[in-house]
Amino acid sequence: MNLAAATNETFAEYSNTLIYSAMAVYTLAFLAHIAEWIFGSRSKVGRTSAALNAKPATASASAGAPGVTVRGKGGGTAVLDKPKVVTRSATGSRDVPDGPGAAGGTEKGDLYGRIAISLTVLAWALQAAGVVTRAISVARVPWGNMYEFSITLGAVVVGAYLALLAAKKNVRWLGLLLTGTILADLGLAVSVFYTESDQLVPALDSYWLVIHVSTAIFCGAVFYIGAAGSIVYLFRDSHESKLARGEKPSAFASSVLDRLPSAATLDKFAYRVNAAVFPLWTFTIIAGAIWAESAWGRYWGWDPKEVWSFITWVAYACYLHARATAGWKGRKAAILGLVAFACWLWNYYGVNIFVQGLHSYA
């Protein structure tokens, strides 16, 4: 018994060391992303954009611009311009090409961006190892309290981001915001939410902990990515609106916002991410109700956590309905999506910390 306790304590120490190591590496990744944005100069973006827009088809072909080679029947070839990819979110919306990314087309910016991604991968591996060793120290799944939930949620968020990158999705613009918020999440976890390794409270000692809480964590991670897309969309859309009206944005706004994907691309990205995970959030609530019946003898009791889970569900349902309605696309839908994510955040932090109920496990 003493040996087992000593082993558990050792793994708990390993977990703490790994989490702090992950925080240190995330900090380096955050600084590398800052360097990527700094060296992705606006002047380079402007020159590249002007060059692409000014070259006619014949000049582009002769100058070696990106194109498509077409072979004729007689064996001859011709090089045609590769069309710019423009995402259009709705009829009548602005046709604006995506920006070149945080690196701005510069080699040095791209170098720092690749360094930042490499550091993010390393930090994620350390964080994931910290979650696993925490699980070994408590001999159960590592999400029985706010500390464990936070470190696991952060690992899943970063894992989802890296999976999108591996799938060749244009999401590197999210890196700076992601590493910053993950650092804040882990900072809260180790300073405010930290709990020594211990056994579960009786109400949580169930296989439904694996089913219900794991889906809630995954949904929260994906909702975060969708909310990040909506936030960036609002800034980019405002920037494009100013340009369309002939106004001149500030140098800082142009330097940063010109490099982002177009507002239409970001709008679709946020919608698709939220729409993809919404059915799983529905399942999360249903699984929680089944667990509640097993633990407390009723499916629904209007506990604060249950109420806010349902409010979050309604908010995301309204967002998806609004996004499919022509008059609510764009900014209105994005703001509604952020309200829905704010409901999720309150359900995660506020209800657990400030509201007393059957789900108060902070």
Side-chain angles (χ1 to χ4, degrees):
M1 188 66 178
N2 291 335
L3 179 61
T7 302
N8 292 344
E9 184 177 348
T10 300
F11 275 105
E13 292 176 356
Y14 288 160
S15 176
N16 295 340
T17 301
L18 287 166
I19 294 299
Y20 278 105
S21 299
M23 292 176 66
V25 181
Y26 276 129
T27 301
L28 295 177
F30 180 74
L31 296 175
H33 274 299
I34 291 177
E36 177 187 17
W37 282 95
I38 290 175
F39 288 107
S41 61
R42 176 173 173 258
S43 59
K44 175 66 176 179
V45 174
R47 291 196 302 271
T48 303
S49 177
L52 289 175
N53 292 331
K55 289 179 182 178
T58 55
S60 298
S62 62
V68 179
T69 302
V70 180
R71 294 186 178 277
K73 291 184 178 180
T77 61
V79 180
L80 304 179
D81 266 346
K82 187 175 181 180
K84 290 185 295 182
V85 177
V86 177
T87 302
R88 184 179 300 174
S89 60
T91 303
S93 63
R94 295 181 297 271
D95 293 340
V96 179
D98 292 336
T106 63
E107 292 185 5
K108 183 172 287 189
D110 183 63
L111 173 63
Y112 279 106
R114 288 186 279 112
I115 291 173
I117 296 301
S118 299
L119 289 170
T120 302
V121 171
L122 175 59
W124 172 78
L126 291 169
Q127 184 177 2
V131 173
V132 171
T133 50
R134 175 74 177 198
I136 295 173
S137 72
V138 293
R140 55 170 171 78
V141 290
W143 44 76
N145 51 59
M146 285 286 287
Y147 170 74
E148 295 172 359
F149 193 96
S150 293
I151 63 174
T152 304
L153 175 65
V156 176
V157 169
V158 179
Y161 167 70
L162 295 177
L164 289 172
L165 284 176
K168 307 298 183 183
K169 301 299 181 182
N170 180 20
V171 293
R172 202 163 93 178
W173 50 268
L174 180 56
L176 181 62
L177 179 62
L178 176 84
T179 51
T181 50
I182 292 301
L183 278 170
D185 172 67
L186 292 179
L188 282 173
V190 300
S191 62
V192 178
F193 300 143
Y194 182 74
T195 305
E196 296 289 344
S197 298
D198 202 354
Q199 296 305 309
L200 293 169
V201 296
L204 292 179
D205 192 7
S206 169
Y207 61 88
W208 281 106
L209 177 68
V210 179
I211 300 171
H212 172 64
V213 182
S214 63
T215 55
I217 290 172
F218 182 78
C219 288
V222 179
F223 282 149
Y224 164 84
I225 293 176
S230 293
I231 291 172
V232 177
Y233 160 79
L234 291 174
F235 284 102
R236 174 72 185 200
D237 182 67
S238 178
H239 178 66
E240 291 179 9
S241 296
K242 288 182 179 180
L243 293 176
R245 293 193 301 267
E247 300 178 16
K248 185 177 180 180
S250 67
F252 176 79
S254 296
S255 176
V256 174
L257 298 177
D258 279 346
R259 287 178 266 167
L260 293 171
S262 69
T265 297
L266 293 166
D267 184 36
K268 281 193 173 182
F269 171 77
Y271 170 67
R272 289 172 177 173
V273 166
N274 289 325
V277 80
F278 180 73
L280 189 59
W281 181 249
T282 304
F283 170 78
T284 302
I285 295 176
I286 294 173
I290 297 172
W291 187 9
E293 195 280 331
S294 175
W296 301 311
R298 89 290 188 278
Y299 290 99
W300 193 266
W302 299 104
D303 183 74
K305 177 71 72 172
E306 296 168 350
V307 171
W308 278 97
S309 294
F310 180 67
I311 291 174
T312 302
W313 184 91
V314 171
Y316 272 107
C318 290
Y319 162 77
L320 295 176
H321 177 72
R323 183 57 180 73
T325 304
W328 274 80
K329 285 186 177 181
R331 296 186 68 85
K332 292 180 180 179
I335 292 171
L336 188 52
L338 292 176
V339 170
F341 184 65
C343 291
W344 188 91
L345 282 178
W346 172 255
N347 190 32
Y348 170 42
Y349 287 108
V351 172
N352 281 351
I353 298 172
F354 303 112
V355 181
Q356 291 298 317
L358 293 173
H359 291 81
S360 299
Y361 304 123

